[in-house]
Amino acid sequence: MNGKQDWLKELEDLARSNHWGEIEQRIRKLDRKLFLSGDLIDIATMARRAYQLSFAIYLLKPLALNPDKSVNTQANPEALAEYATCQIMLGARVSAKRILKHVPENNLKGLFAWITLYFSEAEYAKAIPYIRSYIEHTDEVYKQCIGYLNICACYVGTGQYELAEKEISQLQTKLKQHNFELLLANSQELLGQIYIFTNRLEKAEANLKLSSKHAEDTNSLYALFVEKWKLVCGLKRGVATDQDVQSFLVQAQKMDHYHSVRDVLLFWSMSKKDDKFKRKLFFGTPFQSYREFVQNITGQTFNDPSCVWNGKWQNHDQGSIFYPFRTLDAEKSMSATEMSLLDALTTDLVEPKSISSLFFQLWPNEFFDPEYSVSKPYK
């Protein structure tokens, strides 16, 4: 191996052992002049995995876009797919779909981008065919195991707990055989979720305890997930305090993981038997699949938003979205742009809008560039 390959392999080894803090430090010290375009795609991928999205886009933009900011249809499909994945993670689903039209169906990075898209919308059933195709098109055992684990996560996300439990038990044999400790810990965390949802709390706590042993990097999202489900166990047992909940919410917000905030608020409202808060969470969530999850987990049906707001439902490609403040008076008194901005700020009452997500709400067909796009929503 040459020096560049050794450097990239070291980063991959760090990723597989969950040391994202060290990866971030190494990426920040990188001199991109030392690498060729093919290397840049690998570096951008690692930057994206470490949530350094601005840096990843900085590397990929010259490869994926023409000078006029149109898609470079002659670009390396790997660069296009990785750029699309970064855009998805920033909230640019419409723009990402435009890019992915130019990526071959069997391209691994392209398949990963589609999986990321559907996971970002909590559309787990739609993600499964892409995950299966991803598994079929890779010979790397580690990536295959990640694929199988994600299928199990989709089963959990769609309430197929018995099937998920069976598949995870079979997968764990393979993970132990290959000594994939972090993936094994991920599987234990998934089992913890299953046992929570099926009211087997002792088993849930035992699996989460095993899983937490591998959460060495306390700043990682993985460690956050484990702590979230431990807290949910405490809420279901009636031993977690409001202070425990507040401490977790602060940590999740610092890490910009508002799906975890949403989950904890749901279980907290259930522990308090606070139906009004549950309604607010239901109607203040833009994802139809998550609203279905709320109804399934609470055993309640929330049909009438009038007890909370006087807005209206509108259909979109990801399902119906409730706009809490889109009233007739507001529509009459505001311009279309002002109304779109109000919608963007109020459709999700859990997750505050970032500049990138506001940008995509107002200009859904444009690409977000951290260097040039930030000022546009302010104007």
Side-chain angles (χ1 to χ4, degrees):
M1 283 191 181
N2 60 38
K4 296 174 186 176
Q5 290 173 322
D6 288 340
W7 188 82
L8 289 168
K9 185 178 183 304
E10 286 177 11
L11 289 188
E12 181 60 33
D13 290 340
L14 287 169
R16 295 187 182 190
S17 58
N18 207 36
H19 290 92
W20 294 104
E22 187 172 346
I23 291 173
E24 180 180 344
Q25 291 176 9
R26 294 197 184 191
I27 287 174
R28 286 181 180 276
K29 296 177 182 177
L30 170 71
D31 182 357
R32 68 167 287 183
K33 295 177 183 178
L34 300 177
F35 291 80
L36 302 174
S37 61
D39 301 316
L40 291 179
I41 298 172
D42 292 332
I43 297 166
T45 299
M46 192 58 67
R48 184 259 303 160
R49 291 170 66 187
Y51 284 84
Q52 299 298 304
L53 297 178
S54 294
F55 185 66
I57 289 174
Y58 166 75
L59 295 176
L60 293 166
K61 179 184 165 187
L63 306 179
L65 300 185
N66 294 314
D68 63 358
K69 298 183 181 179
S70 62
V71 179
N72 180 1
T73 58
Q74 304 303 312
N76 184 333
E78 303 276 304
L80 290 176
E82 189 59 45
Y83 189 74
T85 301
C86 291
Q87 293 288 313
I88 292 165
M89 293 177 70
L90 285 168
R93 300 179 184 93
V94 174
S95 300
K97 289 177 182 177
R98 276 188 15 236
I99 300 172
L100 291 172
K101 290 179 182 178
H102 306 288
V103 178
E105 291 183 359
N106 62 351
N107 181 278
L108 281 178
K109 284 188 178 291
L111 291 168
F112 180 82
W114 283 108
I115 295 164
T116 304
L117 173 71
Y118 288 124
F119 266 66
S120 73
E121 297 176 344
E123 293 287 356
Y124 303 114
K126 292 181 180 179
I128 290 176
Y130 290 94
I131 301 174
R132 293 197 187 281
S133 183
Y134 184 95
I135 293 170
E136 291 173 4
H137 287 93
T138 181
D139 295 326
E140 191 174 338
V141 176
Y142 186 80
K143 290 182 178 179
Q144 290 174 347
C145 288
I146 291 175
Y148 287 123
L149 195 59
N150 280 323
I151 288 177
C152 293
C154 290
Y155 290 151
V156 174
T158 53
Q160 301 179 75
Y161 304 130
E162 185 175 344
L163 178 58
E165 185 176 355
K166 177 182 176 182
E167 294 290 329
I168 291 172
S169 297
Q170 294 175 356
L171 177 60
Q172 284 184 332
T173 301
K174 192 170 188 177
L175 297 176
K176 291 173 183 176
Q177 177 186 347
H178 291 278
N179 199 31
F180 294 154
E181 291 190 356
L182 184 58
L183 297 186
L184 180 61
N186 293 150
S187 72
Q188 291 161 339
E189 183 250 334
L190 268 180
L191 278 177
Q193 292 185 49
I194 293 169
Y195 294 138
I196 287 171
F197 297 142
T198 54
N199 293 313
R200 291 176 283 175
L201 294 184
E202 287 188 8
K203 283 192 172 184
E205 289 165 339
N207 274 273
L208 292 170
K209 184 176 180 180
L210 289 170
S211 184
S212 64
K213 291 179 180 179
H214 299 278
E216 298 174 3
D217 187 346
T218 55
N219 292 319
S220 72
L221 277 177
Y222 169 67
L224 183 76
F225 296 155
V226 175
E227 291 307 309
K228 171 175 69 174
W229 297 116
K230 283 183 176 180
L231 177 58
V232 169
C233 283
L235 288 169
K236 290 178 75 71
R237 286 194 181 280
V239 296
T241 66
D242 288 352
Q243 183 59 47
D244 295 331
V245 172
Q246 183 62 32
S247 297
F248 177 85
L249 294 180
V250 169
Q251 181 64 19
Q253 288 167 344
K254 284 181 180 178
M255 299 179 73
D256 289 324
H257 202 268
Y258 287 89
H259 189 78
S260 289
V261 172
R262 207 183 308 273
D263 283 338
V264 167
L265 287 175
L266 172 61
F267 283 96
W268 173 82
S269 64
M270 291 171 65
S271 72
K272 297 291 186 180
K273 297 182 172 58
D274 190 337
D275 288 344
K276 186 174 181 180
F277 192 92
K278 282 183 273 186
R279 286 192 183 93
K280 287 185 177 181
L281 191 62
F282 179 86
F283 291 112
T285 292
F287 306 112
Q288 184 170 335
S289 57
Y290 193 84
R291 292 197 300 270
E292 292 170 357
F293 169 74
V294 171
Q295 293 189 138
N296 290 336
I297 208 72
T298 62
Q300 296 175 259
T301 302
F302 305 97
N303 292 322
D304 182 13
S306 63
C307 57
V308 184
W309 295 292
N310 294 315
K312 65 163 62 171
W313 291 98
Q314 287 195 348
N315 291 323
H316 292 263
D317 57 356
Q318 69 264 44
S320 297
I321 294 181
F322 182 70
Y323 292 98
F325 299 101
R326 184 178 269 270
T327 62
L328 288 175
D329 288 341
E331 289 178 338
K332 289 177 182 178
S333 61
M334 292 184 173
S335 67
T337 301
E338 290 171 335
M339 195 73 246
S340 294
L341 184 58
L342 180 63
D343 288 342
L345 290 169
T346 59
T347 50
D348 192 333
L349 298 183
V350 172
E351 181 175 357
K353 290 292 183 180
S354 63
I355 290 298
S356 62
S357 59
L358 285 176
F359 179 89
F360 293 125
Q361 183 82 18
L362 297 170
W363 300 282
N365 294 313
E366 296 186 24
F367 299 109
F368 183 81
D369 186 321
E371 187 175 357
Y372 301 107
S373 302
V374 171
S375 61
K376 196 169 181 179
Y378 286 109
K379 295 178 181 177

